[in-house]
């Protein structure tokens, strides 16, 4: 299938907060305003808006409705919402742009997870008959996955700690990062397990935050930006749900989405991957066929900034930023949903310069 | 790059107060399997799935597309999960149709559901322990305002309730079956939120709806007549601010104008054969007839009083029985869209509007601030044939 060329012309992220003082709509407002300003457009130029968020994080039905305030939905707008990470909102908006009857679209993702306890809430994502009653939380499921990977000899606990150390060092200077700094791998390995074989550094923060991305069709993108970042391919796949039925050491859905998005069609300079647990970097780079020369998560990645429902979209924004900064020409961005790595989206981005 | 999109399969469950004979995956599969059977396709023929439902806390399952991936045959495929409040069933169908119209996929399964008996939807709608008003409590003052503005007689709402419940008696899937309900009985039923009597309110249902959409080329292989998606539109607006008219929301006006313009409809009353409109409380039938400019100001109650919106009337509205007879919230919008499609396929059964070739489906949600609409036709030029 051929698709229209679409480019990213604006993006913005909030900081990643352990506990935001503002409400979700309050911290979303400047993020959308900043993305609009960067795209050099007026709010009215947006032909379609798609939001991504999760009622359960707010503990309130229809929580997403108030986010319309941050979009400025008056006069009325053409708009939709996915109960998914903002990366899938970007996908829906990208599809809408394929019609050719609109030329600018906004996608955003936002979440305020701090009022709740993720370890209580996230088990509700699992099969309600067989897994939720067991309290199958994200850390335990990630630990099972890490154990399978360690037992197969594909990674060591030291290599996992090295991922954490590298991410934290890379996050220094990233205003969106929540965790950063130089750390000693031996010191990390001396800390106790939280849920064996995972230590605190192997786990992500569960953060509050938001991200917004503005896309435009080819001609419009060239009008708006002298340095647009082109979406060369985007696709997503889900796997069966029961973790016991999957080979957790592999991510076939990431591999399939990456193939469909065209990851292998050219050299990759850098990748922003939703590595929320250190061992998952090995699984994802393997599934995407990324070699040693690819810089992974130069922003610091989700282990340093993990705004729920915006983490995946932030990977796309961070990859676009890295390209515009000149750190690479071709990048892969990856988003995930479900436990552990059940659903995955892959986006290939390319700069002009 | 807009390509034709055909609906070749439609399925729905029997809607009931409590479907405790099926699990959540069992409920969605019942509808999806019927849609696949209708299209003479199997699960493996499907390229992508689009799932819609209202708030996850209604059943207590967060992002249920994850745990239902297997049941929906989505493993190895793309799946999207849409949530736009009460309009979600309509929005979900539109998102699915976009995947065909943009050439992204060739066969898409879309499913919407709600299994309200798993939880307490009224508690969820009313803000839990805050003891809020719930949907009826929010909408009732706007209905009062509509009545005052238009001088609609008090029996119009009850007439809509009677019409929809009698229509539902011709629809084997409908939750409420009340073929003998009378206006007097409606007026005698308890007042919930003035002007809404008990019999003028939607039920709380368990149910699901599914559709299979495909390209023009593949539609030729379908064993039964397709419905063609002629136009779609979605609009949203802020729910609460002093400059807003909640009785006639601007998003509803603009959404209707957009969908009719795209479809080439210049005179909705003449060119639309049948409408399936989201009417959870009786007074929303006249409110949307005027709020979407199907008729002029103060005209809706006359249309209803004269029987024109009855099955067999000049402008039938909700021959399926509508939301007033079955309300699995997440599916209710898709049921409107699917019933409209079945009408132009000539497959609506006992509630078929004779000779329907152009049908209108509408859903709304939130504080009457989210709108999703489509126009479907028996042929791609169904509207032109009427001009």
């Amino acid at each position: 299938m051929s698709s229209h060329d679409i480019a990213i012309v604006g993006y913005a992220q909030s900081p990643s907060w352990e506990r935001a003082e503002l409400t979700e709509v309050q911290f979303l407002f400047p993020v959308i305003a900043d993305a609009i300003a960067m795209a050099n457009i007026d709010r009215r130029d947006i032909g379609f808006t798609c939001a991504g968020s999760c009622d359960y994080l707010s503990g309130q039905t229809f929580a997403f409705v108030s986010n319309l305030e941050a979009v400025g939905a008056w006069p009325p707008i053409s708009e939709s919402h996915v109960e998914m990470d903002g990366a899938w909102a970007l996908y829906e908006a990208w599809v809408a742009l394929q019609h050719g009857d609109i030329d600018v679209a906004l996608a955003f993702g936002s979440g305020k997870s701090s009022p709740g306890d993720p370890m209580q809430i996230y088990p509700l994502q699992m099969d309600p008959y067989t897994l939720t009653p067991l309290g199958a939380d994200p850390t335990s499921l990630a630990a099972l996955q890490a154990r399978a990977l360690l037992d197969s000899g594909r990674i060591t606990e030291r290599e996992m700690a090295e991922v954490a150390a590298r991410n934290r060092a890379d996050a220094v200077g990233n205003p969106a990062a929540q965790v950063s700094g130089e750390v000693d791998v031996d010191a990390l390995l001396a800390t106790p397990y939280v849920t064996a074989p995972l230590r605190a550094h192997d786990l992500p923060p569960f953060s509050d935050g938001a991200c917004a991305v503005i896309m435009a069709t080819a001609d419009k993108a060239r009008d708006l930006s002298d340095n647009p970042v082109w979406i060369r391919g985007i696709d997503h796949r889900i796997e069966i749900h029961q973790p016991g039925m999957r080979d957790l050491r592999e991510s076939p859905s990431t591999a399939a989405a990456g193939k469909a998005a065209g990851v292998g069609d050219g050299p990759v300079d850098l990748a922003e991957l939703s590595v929320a647990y250190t061992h998952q970097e090995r699984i994802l780079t393997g599934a995407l066929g990324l070699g040693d020369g690819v810089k992974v998560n130069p922003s610091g990645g989700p282990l340093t900034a993990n705004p729920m429902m915006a983490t995946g979209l932030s990977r796309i924004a961070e990859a676009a930023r890295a390209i515009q900064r000149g750190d690479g020409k071709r990048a892969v961005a990856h988003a995930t949903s479900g436990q552990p790595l059940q659903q995955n989206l892959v986006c290939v981005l390319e700069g002009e310069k | 790059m807009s390509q034709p999109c055909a609906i070749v399969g439609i399925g729905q469950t029997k809607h009931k107060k409590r479907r405790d004979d099926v699990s959540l995956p069992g409920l969605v599969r019942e509808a999806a399997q019927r849609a696949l059977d209708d299209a003479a396709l199997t699960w493996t023929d499907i390229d992508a799935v689009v799932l819609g439902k209202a708030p996850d806390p209604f059943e207590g399952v967060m992002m249920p597309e994850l745990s239902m991936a297997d049941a929906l045959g989505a493993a190895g495929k793309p799946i999207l999960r849409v949530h736009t409040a009460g309009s979600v069933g309509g929005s979900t169908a539109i998102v699915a149709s976009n995947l065909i119209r943009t050439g992204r996929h060739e066969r898409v399964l879309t499913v919407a559901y709600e299994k309200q008996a798993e939880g307490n939807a009224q508690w969820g709608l009313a803000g839990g322990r805050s003891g809020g008003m719930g949907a009826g409590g929010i909408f009732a003052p706007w209905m009062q305002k509509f009545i005052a503005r238009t001088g609609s007689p008090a029996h119009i709402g009850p007439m809509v309730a009677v019409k929809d419940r009698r229509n539902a008696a011709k629809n084997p899937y409908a939750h409420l079956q009340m073929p003998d309900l009378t206006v007097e009985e409606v007026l005698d039923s308890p007042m919930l939120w003035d002007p809404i009597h008990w019999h003028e309110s939607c039920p709380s249902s368990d149910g699901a709806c599914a559709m299979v959409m495909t390209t023009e080329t593949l539609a030729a292989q379908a064993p039964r007549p397709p419905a063609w998606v002629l136009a779609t539109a979605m609009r949203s607006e802020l729910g609460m601010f002093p400059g807003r008219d909640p009785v006639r929301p601007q998003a509803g006006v603009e959404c209707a104008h957009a969908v009719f313009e795209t479809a080439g409809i210049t005179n909705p009353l003449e060119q639309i054969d049948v409408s399936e409109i989201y009417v959870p409380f009786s007074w929303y039938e006249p409110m949307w007839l005027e709020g979407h400019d199907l008729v002029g100001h103060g005209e809706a109650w006359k249309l209803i009083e004269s029987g024109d919106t009855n099955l067999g009337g000049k402008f039938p509205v909700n021959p399926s029985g509508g939301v007033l007879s079955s309300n699995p919230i997440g599916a209710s919008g898709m049921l409107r869209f699917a019933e409209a499609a079945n009408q132009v396929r000539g497959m609506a059964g006992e509630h078929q509007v004779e000779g329907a070739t152009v049908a209108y489906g509408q859903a709304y949600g939130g504080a009457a601030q989210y709108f999703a609409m489509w126009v479907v036709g028996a042929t791609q030029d169904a509207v032109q044939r009427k001009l």
Side-chain angles (χ1 to χ4, degrees):
Chain A
M1 167 221 105
S2 67
S3 45
H4 279 303
D5 285 338
I6 307 293
I8 292 172
V9 294
Y11 46 82
Q13 289 166 275
S14 74
S16 178
W17 292 287
E18 183 180 355
R19 178 177 290 273
E21 295 293 324
L22 303 171
T23 64
E24 188 170 321
V25 65
Q26 282 174 319
F27 65 68
L28 187 54
F29 195 96
V31 170
I32 290 175
D34 288 352
I36 286 171
M38 179 179 173
N40 203 23
I41 57 168
D42 183 86
R43 211 169 269 266
R44 296 283 126 239
D45 295 333
I46 297 169
F48 181 70
T49 299
C50 195
S53 71
C54 174
D55 276 357
Y56 252 110
L57 291 179
S58 317
Q60 189 183 332
T61 53
F62 305 105
F64 68 96
V65 173
S66 45
N67 290 342
L68 275 180
E69 307 247 348
V71 188
W74 187 262
I77 58 170
S78 178
E79 188 257 359
S80 184
H81 171 260
V82 292
E83 192 83 353
M84 308 176 85
D85 184 284
W88 277 269
L90 180 138
Y91 178 81
E92 187 183 326
W94 178 86
V95 170
L97 283 167
Q98 296 295 323
H99 279 294
D101 55 354
I102 57 162
D103 52 13
V104 178
L106 162 69
F108 64 90
S110 60
K112 185 163 180 172
S113 59
S114 60
D117 175 2
M119 290 305 123
Q120 274 198 335
I121 292 170
Y122 274 86
L124 299 173
Q125 252 187 0
M126 307 307 291
D127 180 81
Y129 306 99
T130 59
L131 290 167
T132 301
L134 298 176
D137 64 83
T139 307
S140 302
L141 291 162
L144 287 170
Q145 185 179 42
R147 175 63 69 203
L149 207 63
L150 286 162
D151 287 353
S152 68
R154 297 187 202 182
I155 202 166
T156 63
E157 291 181 30
R158 174 166 291 276
E159 287 171 324
M160 288 160 59
E162 285 167 357
V163 170
R166 193 188 76 236
N167 281 176
R168 289 182 191 196
D170 284 341
V172 173
N174 181 352
Q178 183 179 334
V179 185
S180 64
E182 298 292 335
V183 284
D184 176 57
V185 169
D186 287 320
L188 293 179
L189 287 170
T191 59
Y193 291 122
V194 175
T195 303
L198 302 179
R199 298 179 173 87
H201 62 260
D202 294 311
L203 309 175
F206 282 85
S207 320
D208 301 343
C211 178
V213 173
I214 292 175
M215 293 176 287
T217 51
D219 290 348
K220 187 73 176 180
R222 291 205 174 84
D223 281 352
L224 294 172
S225 173
D226 59 1
N227 196 8
V229 176
W230 298 96
I231 296 176
R232 293 302 186 203
I234 182 166
D235 217 317
H236 60 101
R237 295 286 189 279
I238 199 167
E239 294 175 33
I240 57 173
H241 178 69
Q242 286 283 345
M245 300 288 283
R246 298 165 52 200
D247 181 349
L248 298 178
R249 300 168 303 177
E250 311 276 353
S251 184
S253 56
T254 302
K259 189 165 186 288
V263 172
D265 296 348
V268 177
D269 300 316
L270 62 100
E272 282 286 343
L273 309 179
S274 288
V275 176
Y277 302 88
T278 52
H279 66 276
Q280 291 178 345
E281 184 180 291
R282 185 64 52 88
I283 297 172
L284 292 170
T285 53
L288 292 165
L290 303 178
D292 290 341
V294 180
K295 178 75 178 162
V296 176
N297 286 338
S299 71
L303 282 156
T304 66
N306 191 29
M308 299 287 96
M309 312 312 290
T311 298
L313 187 60
S314 294
R315 305 277 65 69
I316 295 172
E318 291 284 12
R321 178 178 288 126
I323 287 172
Q324 290 196 326
R325 208 165 43 206
D327 294 350
K329 183 165 172 25
R330 195 163 180 272
V332 173
H334 160 267
T336 193
S337 180
Q339 311 301 330
L341 299 176
Q342 191 197 343
Q343 186 178 21
N344 296 283
L345 177 146
V346 179
C347 180
V348 176
L349 300 171
E350 203 170 88
E352 286 196 324
K353 296 181 177 173
Chain B
M1 176 140 159
S2 210
Q3 301 173 15
C5 172
I7 300 144
V8 293
I10 293 177
Q12 62 181 292
T13 61
K14 168 67 186 171
H15 310 293
K16 276 178 68 175
K17 176 80 184 162
R18 180 180 292 275
R19 282 295 307 268
D20 50 13
D21 58 321
V22 285
S23 62
L24 290 164
L27 187 77
V28 296
R29 274 185 79 92
E30 187 174 307
Q33 186 65 58
R34 284 174 181 166
L36 289 168
D37 290 347
D38 185 13
L41 295 173
T42 66
W43 295 94
T44 52
D45 294 320
I46 298 299
D47 301 327
V49 181
V50 184
L51 179 70
K53 74 176 298 297
D56 294 358
F58 279 8
E59 292 89 357
V61 182
M62 179 181 179
M63 300 179 178
E65 70 277 7
L66 297 166
S67 54
M68 285 195 193
D70 314 27
L72 290 167
K77 299 172 188 175
I79 182 169
L80 279 169
R81 158 68 198 293
V82 181
H83 175 17
T84 60
S87 66
V88 64
S91 309
T92 304
I94 291 172
V95 171
S97 72
N98 282 342
L99 294 174
I100 300 293
R101 292 170 68 211
T102 58
R104 185 73 180 154
H105 295 296
E106 296 194 316
R107 286 190 182 113
V108 174
L109 170 70
T110 184
V111 186
Y113 77 98
E114 208 73 61
K115 203 163 187 302
Q116 294 184 205
E118 299 287 334
N120 184 338
Q122 183 59 28
W123 196 87
L125 287 166
R129 287 179 185 155
S130 73
M133 296 176 285
I138 290 171
F139 295 137
W142 302 342
M143 298 179 213
Q144 294 282 15
K145 181 69 83 179
F146 174 83
I147 292 166
R149 279 187 195 173
T150 57
S152 303
H155 62 270
I156 296 300
M159 279 187 74
V160 171
V162 167
K163 166 184 70 83
D164 282 4
R165 267 52 180 274
R166 289 187 176 185
N167 286 348
K170 298 183 193 307
N171 175 2
Y173 299 110
H175 175 173
L176 298 181
Q177 302 280 342
M178 309 170 84
D180 305 318
L181 187 69
T182 64
V183 168
E184 292 67 34
E185 283 173 308
V186 176
L187 288 167
D188 285 345
S189 68
M191 184 65 84
L192 296 177
W193 306 270
D194 197 350
I196 312 165
H197 296 87
W198 168 260
H199 281 316
E200 291 176 272
S201 172
C202 55
S204 179
S205 316
D206 287 358
C209 181
M211 287 189 274
V212 177
M213 301 182 187
T214 193
T215 61
E216 185 172 26
T217 309
L218 292 176
Q221 301 172 10
R224 299 187 182 86
W228 297 96
V229 179
L230 303 181
T232 67
M234 288 194 269
R235 291 291 184 278
S236 313
E237 72 182 34
L238 298 176
M240 202 76 71
F241 68 98
R244 173 177 191 249
D245 182 358
V247 180
R248 182 183 155 83
Q250 189 62 22
V253 175
E254 292 183 13
C255 193
H257 289 189
V259 81
F260 296 147
E261 188 188 330
T262 307
I265 288 173
T266 50
N267 183 343
L269 217 51
E270 293 298 325
Q271 291 154 2
I272 293 170
D273 296 314
V274 51
S275 299
E276 284 280 345
I277 295 175
Y278 204 107
V279 177
F281 304 101
S282 61
W283 282 98
Y284 266 98
E285 179 170 313
M287 285 171 76
W288 292 142
L289 289 174
E290 295 191 16
H292 300 334
D293 286 342
L294 295 158
V295 298
H297 178 73
E299 298 297 321
W301 71 264
K302 297 171 192 164
L303 197 75
I304 292 163
E305 192 177 50
S306 69
D308 282 346
T309 63
N310 292 350
L311 186 51
K314 276 198 321 200
F315 191 79
V317 176
N318 292 329
S320 68
V323 182
L324 275 173
S325 304
S326 312
N327 189 30
I329 295 179
S332 291
M334 189 174 287
L335 285 165
R336 306 283 67 71
F337 279 44
E339 288 285 355
N342 256 344
Q343 288 284 351
V344 299
R345 300 174 77 203
M347 292 180 57
E350 264 195 88
H351 61 282
Q352 176 70 43
V353 172
E354 192 97 13
T357 59
V358 175
Y360 169 54
Q362 177 264 23
Y364 85 97
Q369 67 193 115
Y370 289 92
F371 293 87
M373 301 179 186
W374 79 7
V375 175
V376 286
T379 56
Q380 292 183 53
D381 62 351
V383 174
Q384 285 71 29
R385 289 184 189 199
K386 289 180 176 283
L387 299 178

